[in-house]
Amino acid sequence: VAGDDFEVHWQRALKPREPEKLDPSEALAKKLAQSIGTDTASSRVDVAVVDRKTGKEIAHCECKWFESETSAPSAVSDACVQITRYAMDSRPNSLGEAESVLQDSLVVVASRGKFAERVDGSGPVGFTDFDGLESGSLEKWAAALALRHGPVGS
């Protein structure tokens, strides 16, 4: 995904939300980390698609590797928590805008196992695995992204 209108960033650090924008569990985690003498880490999304004109992230990709199929549910759940935090960091003033970013985003895992692939923008977040990436799912996801945001890859 590249082109005149968009940039793709690997391991992009996101601006942290103001403390009053954190949900209660995030505020508690921050408090715990600070009590130990550190702070919660800033969010660093695996892949971010950024609108060059606005500088805003329009989509995120979170990837999870695991070796055992029994780890898939936990990896999917962890990825969903992380990608939600990234969307909220990208759009801290609007849950609706954060949900829009999520709809354009993609969770990628080592193996889907029993979970259905979704890369057409029809659900609350896209989902595929490494086999899907090899078989063209990334192109389908980019095409859905282009429908919502203009040409991608041109």
Side-chain angles (χ1 to χ4, degrees):
V1 182
D4 292 337
D5 296 329
F6 304 99
E7 297 174 346
V8 177
H9 297 265
W10 176 255
Q11 291 292 309
R12 181 177 172 95
L14 302 175
K15 181 180 175 187
R17 278 176 278 153
E18 297 297 321
E20 63 273 7
K21 299 284 185 180
L22 298 175
D23 71 38
S25 65
E26 292 170 316
L28 183 56
K30 184 175 186 67
K31 180 180 175 182
L32 294 176
Q34 289 172 336
S35 78
I36 296 169
T38 187
D39 203 342
T40 49
S42 63
S43 295
R44 188 171 291 276
V45 63
D46 288 335
V47 177
V49 180
V50 177
D51 182 313
R52 284 189 181 173
K53 292 177 198 138
T54 66
K56 289 184 174 185
E57 294 90 5
I58 61 165
H60 300 297
C61 297
E62 179 59 23
C63 305
K64 292 294 180 196
W65 171 256
F66 51 87
E67 292 186 15
S68 169
E69 288 295 321
T70 60
S71 298
S74 178
V76 169
S77 177
D78 289 347
C80 288
V81 169
Q82 283 181 271
I83 206 163
T84 298
R85 186 176 74 238
Y86 302 150
M88 291 302 298
D89 287 345
S90 295
R91 300 294 189 284
N93 297 318
S94 171
L95 179 60
E97 287 182 22
E99 289 174 328
S100 236
V101 170
L102 285 169
Q103 187 176 12
D104 291 334
S105 295
L106 189 62
V107 169
V108 181
V109 295
S111 174
R112 287 186 296 109
K114 65 180 181 180
F115 303 110
E117 181 176 69
R118 182 178 53 230
V119 293
D120 60 1
S122 65
V125 70
F127 181 71
T128 192
D129 61 6
F130 296 160
D131 287 339
L133 294 181
E134 289 181 356
S135 66
S137 295
L138 193 59
E139 288 83 6
K140 293 174 189 170
W141 170 76
L145 194 63
L147 285 175
R148 287 176 52 99
H149 296 279
V152 177
S154 57

